[in-house]
Amino acid sequence: MTTFTLTPRWLARRPNARYMGLVLLVLLLLFAWLTPWLFPADPARQNLLHTLATPSLSEPLGTDHLGRSQLARLASAIRLSIGLALLSVLSAAIPGVLLGVAAGWRGGWLDRGLGLVADCVLAMPGLLLVLMLAAMAPGQFWSLYVGIALVLWVEYFRVVRAATRSLVTSPQLQASRLLGFGKVYLFRRHLWPELAPSVLTLAAFGAANAVLAVAALGFVSIGLRPPTAELGLMMTELLPYYQEAPWVLLQPIAAVFLLVLSFQLLAGRDPR
């Protein structure tokens, strides 16, 4: 899956860029998880007498074309996007890192076999793989999750394998091996401290890509189905009313922008 970088280079190089991204992400998380407690509205409840209502004290973000609370739906959609992004990244990072370390450390047939599998995955466009799984189980959460995770793990594998090949020949690791330390200690003491910055950067970029992928699939009506509150699906539903109520359409667009921006700032500069 192609990595999109929306962060300007001069901003990504600033030392406080990561803190800005962390603060922005924390604010989005607080909005998404505290809104149901402070504003207990059902995101699927319709009220056709109050369609496309302007923001008010009772509805701080107004209502959509079916009279549903935009505040409740936006909070639910952000929770879904962040949850799916983090779950996909975690499911891709763990096998990607472990397989990359195994391939780079052992070499030989294991390295060639895993490299062939990674090349086969790369030969198919990432979005096409996600679309195939979404077509097999339309509107299902697991199909999006599995598709995104299958695409993302290759990045971790290739970066970690290349780094491990050079790290296993370092004098420090060879000295620890001669002293009889086990592989778990060698990984924890010598490999992971060197791999962690690249892995965490890839995780932040992967989360941003997952948010964009879910929103794109929802926008073309291939992802999750109504009445699920999902950012891309909300854009599609509200697009016909952009002249009548532009503030309603701008809300999911702004949410996607802020989510991607927060992850991009957390990533900083691309180590590749």
Side-chain angles (χ1 to χ4, degrees):
M1 182 177 293
T2 305
T3 299
F4 298 96
T5 304
L6 300 182
T7 311
R9 292 183 179 275
W10 66 269
L11 181 58
R13 287 195 291 266
R14 295 186 61 178
N16 60 345
R18 293 180 186 270
Y19 297 105
M20 293 168 59
L22 179 61
V23 170
L24 181 57
L25 183 60
V26 169
L27 291 177
L28 290 170
L29 288 171
L30 290 176
F31 169 79
W33 265 270
L34 291 182
T35 295
W37 296 88
L38 303 177
F39 189 80
D42 185 358
R45 183 179 180 181
Q46 301 180 12
N47 185 355
L48 298 180
L49 297 177
H50 296 86
T51 60
L52 300 177
T54 57
S56 61
L57 291 178
S58 59
E59 291 291 348
L61 297 181
T63 61
D64 66 1
H65 61 297
L66 295 177
R68 297 174 295 191
S69 171
Q70 275 292 104
L71 181 63
R73 290 184 62 78
L74 198 63
S76 178
I78 292 176
R79 287 197 307 271
L80 188 149
S81 294
I82 293 178
L84 180 60
L86 296 182
L87 183 61
S88 300
V89 166
L90 186 63
S91 299
I94 293 177
V97 170
L98 294 179
L99 293 176
V101 169
W105 198 323
R106 294 292 299 273
W109 64 268
L110 181 62
D111 184 21
R112 293 191 295 271
L114 292 175
L116 179 61
V117 173
D119 291 339
C120 291
V121 175
L122 285 177
M124 178 179 295
L127 185 58
L128 179 60
L129 179 59
V130 178
L131 288 174
M132 290 175 56
L133 290 173
M136 294 172 57
Q140 297 296 318
F141 178 88
W142 71 265
S143 62
L144 298 178
Y145 155 63
V146 172
I148 295 173
L150 284 176
V151 172
L152 290 179
W153 78 272
V154 179
E155 296 185 0
Y156 299 94
F157 170 77
R158 292 168 66 89
V159 170
V160 171
R161 180 180 64 171
T164 303
R165 286 175 175 174
S166 60
L167 291 173
V168 294
T169 59
S170 64
Q172 298 86 348
L173 189 144
Q174 293 298 328
S176 296
R177 293 182 65 179
L178 292 175
L179 291 174
F181 290 105
K183 294 182 178 180
V184 175
Y185 173 85
L186 296 178
F187 174 80
R188 180 171 53 87
R189 180 66 178 83
H190 297 287
L191 294 182
W192 179 245
E194 299 294 331
L195 297 174
S198 298
V199 171
L200 295 179
T201 298
L202 287 175
F205 279 121
N209 285 332
V211 171
L212 287 174
V214 175
L217 292 174
F219 187 77
V220 296
S221 302
I222 299 178
L224 300 176
R225 299 291 179 83
T228 304
E230 191 275 314
L231 295 174
L233 185 59
M234 291 173 66
M235 296 179 201
T236 299
E237 293 176 338
L238 298 171
L239 187 59
Y241 310 96
Y242 74 96
Q243 289 184 330
E244 185 177 355
W247 64 87
V248 180
L249 177 60
L250 289 176
Q251 291 169 15
I253 296 175
V256 172
F257 172 77
L258 292 176
L259 280 172
V260 174
L261 179 63
S262 65
F263 285 120
Q264 294 283 1
L265 289 174
L266 278 175
R269 299 188 65 182
D270 191 340
R272 294 169 295 175

